[in-house]
Amino acid sequence: MNSNVSQSLLTTEDTSPVRVINPAGASSFLLIGDHAGKAVPARLESLGIGDADLSRHIGWDIGIGELGALLAERLDAVFVRQTYSRLVIDCNRSPDQPDVIATVSDGTLVPGNAGLTEAERAARFAEIHAPYHAAIAAELARRDALAMPTVVIALHSFTPMMSGPMRDQARPWQIGILHDGGDTVFAHALLDVLRREPDLTVGDNEPYRMDLIDYTIPRHAYPARGYAEIEIRQDLLGSTADCDAWADRLARLLPLALERAGRI
């Protein structure tokens, strides 16, 4: 399959790699969705795995595209979201990370990612990865030029169960907040307000840690911009009603955290 792929990846059949929802949003929050979409460029022929696997958690962050749009409306926030599947290229990985174009994901082989030439890899970076990050950088520059305060909120979702050695266990957290370097004041304030919700089990750098693997937040928020990476369990985002409920909750709690962090 790869031998038929030219150096140019996207065609007129394909959609833009990045969408900016509510571009005139006035909120202090900038929402981003690294894994919000599950599209695959036509030339990659579904990566050889088909829609059933692309619709699983390995293909995208289930619910985040819908949640982000709903939250953007409630907060009057800008939402910058990726269109293509994380299996085409993972926009939350740096170019030198081995899994930026994964050949295996959670035990599933991805034939369309095997044996890529340098030109094929370069096309995915140039036409999908780079435009997405350029859109985030452009929005941050626009806001800075207008002296708009900004807290970057990266929206992600996680599977209730992850397979593999030492990983076959249920994940009890409904939501987790990831943070590491840079300005973590807002992330800790958000943890505080979430822990006041009696029905939530809140993960502090659970089920994942933000570390050197993460790319988007360190690139765009460090060293001094407030941020939080939010992870919501995917079985709680399975319907529009679920996404609505989380959008309502986060639209209520994010401004409280902003106030608690002293950013307003």
Side-chain angles (χ1 to χ4, degrees), residues 20-223:
V20 180
I21 295 173
N22 193 31
S27 171
S28 295
F29 296 110
L30 172 60
L31 311 175
I32 56 177
D34 298 331
H35 307 138
K38 62 183 179 74
V40 176
R43 283 178 167 160
L44 298 187
E45 302 172 6
S46 297
L47 296 169
I49 62 173
D51 192 61
D53 278 322
L54 287 168
S55 296
R56 294 172 52 220
H57 71 93
I58 63 172
W60 64 330
D61 278 356
I62 294 167
I64 291 304
E66 187 168 12
L67 172 65
L70 291 168
L71 191 56
E73 180 181 9
R74 283 162 172 75
L75 292 171
D76 189 26
V78 178
F79 177 35
V80 181
R81 54 154 292 173
Q82 175 55 257
T83 302
Y84 288 97
S85 172
R86 65 193 302 170
L87 292 178
V88 176
I89 190 164
D90 192 332
C91 287
N92 194 30
R93 297 291 184 269
S94 68
D96 58 354
Q97 286 291 335
D99 62 345
V100 66
I101 301 177
T103 55
V104 181
S105 182
D106 196 20
T108 297
L109 295 175
V110 187
N113 288 347
L116 298 183
T117 67
E118 285 303 312
E120 289 166 346
R121 290 177 62 86
R124 298 196 196 187
F125 280 102
E127 298 180 48
I128 297 175
H129 194 282
Y132 173 66
H133 286 285
I136 297 172
E139 174 57 21
L140 288 170
R142 182 190 74 85
R143 297 165 73 90
D144 288 347
L146 296 172
M148 291 177 64
T150 299
V151 174
V152 181
I153 303 294
L155 297 171
H156 291 262
S157 65
F158 64 95
T159 181
M161 183 81 72
M162 192 74 172
S163 63
M166 306 299 291
R167 298 162 79 185
D168 283 322
Q169 56 183 351
R171 291 161 156 184
W173 312 278
Q174 289 94 358
I175 186 170
I177 303 301
L178 280 55
H179 55 89
D180 183 32
D183 181 352
T184 62
V185 172
F186 176 80
H188 286 287
L190 183 56
L191 280 166
D192 288 343
V193 299
L194 283 166
R195 286 167 176 153
R196 295 171 183 266
E197 299 287 288
D199 60 327
L200 293 184
T201 300
V202 181
D204 182 351
N205 275 321
E206 297 285 0
Y208 309 109
R209 292 194 61 82
M210 177 173 284
D211 53 26
L212 295 177
I213 293 175
D214 287 272
Y215 181 69
T216 303
I217 286 292
R219 172 173 175 170
H220 296 288
Y222 291 6

Side-chain angles (χ1 to χ4, degrees), residues 198-256:
D199 60 327
L200 293 184
T201 300
V202 181
D204 182 351
N205 275 321
E206 297 285 0
Y208 309 109
R209 292 194 61 82
M210 177 173 284
D211 53 26
L212 295 177
I213 293 175
D214 287 272
Y215 181 69
T216 303
I217 286 292
R219 172 173 175 170
H220 296 288
Y222 291 6
R225 202 183 296 274
Y227 71 90
E229 186 164 317
I230 298 176
E231 292 269 2
I232 299 173
R233 210 172 64 208
Q234 288 167 355
D235 59 323
L236 306 177
L237 292 173
S239 69
T240 294
D242 291 335
C243 292
D244 261 321
W246 275 104
D248 285 342
R249 192 194 292 256
L250 290 173
R252 173 172 57 86
L253 296 179
L254 285 168
L256 291 178

